[in-house]
Amino acid sequence: PLYGGLQRALQARHPGSRLGYVQIDHHFDFGDHSVLHGRHYHGSNGRRISELDGVEPAMMAFVGMGDITSARQLAGMRDSGITVRTMMDVRAHGFSACLAEACQRVLQVCDRLYVSID
């Protein structure tokens, strides 16, 4: 809800602006459904943001993922155009470099960033 509200407020003040989403987290939070909680739960915020009007995969980046529970989900995110930098990337290239690259990629198609830190 916070990203969506900020996105609507930005559009009202600056029509045509695009709000990118960068998530720094050990998990993707890109789940579709929880048996216990349904579609809206702590592990689905990234997926729900990706489904909002005006959000495209190139507008999203995830940095620091270490708990990759689904190789198919990771491949699907990357194939769609979402930028993903896992903990393997962070160990190889450094956190600052991975975060800077992710932000730069999103800023190629957006003028502002929403950063989520978990």
Side-chain angles (χ1 to χ4, degrees), residues 85-96:
R85 294 297 167 258
T86 66
M87 280 307 297
M88 286 178 55
D89 299 323
V90 168
R91 286 185 193 103
H93 306 288
F95 177 76
S96 294

Side-chain angles (χ1 to χ4, degrees), residues 21-114:
Y21 178 78
V22 176
Q23 179 172 307
I24 302 166
D25 194 341
H26 189 69
H27 306 96
F28 284 116
D29 294 347
F30 212 79
D32 189 32
H33 185 269
S34 164
V35 175
L36 296 175
H37 307 290
R39 288 180 39 85
H40 297 94
Y41 68 105
H42 67 278
S44 69
N45 56 299
R47 168 135 356 224
R48 298 295 81 90
I49 289 169
S50 76
E51 296 168 345
L52 293 173
D53 287 339
V55 176
E56 300 168 8
M59 297 170 64
M60 300 185 78
F62 294 78
V63 180
M65 281 68 249
D67 188 13
I68 300 171
T69 57
S70 172
R72 193 175 95 206
Q73 185 182 71
L74 172 61
M77 291 171 74
R78 284 186 165 152
D79 290 347
S80 75
I82 293 173
T83 298
V84 177
R85 294 297 167 258
T86 66
M87 280 307 297
M88 286 178 55
D89 299 323
V90 168
R91 286 185 193 103
H93 306 288
F95 177 76
S96 294
C98 289
L99 181 61
E101 179 198 357
C103 291
Q104 289 168 359
R105 283 183 176 222
V106 172
L107 285 170
Q108 289 177 353
V109 296
C110 296
D111 10 46
R112 295 195 169 65
L113 291 179
Y114 178 100

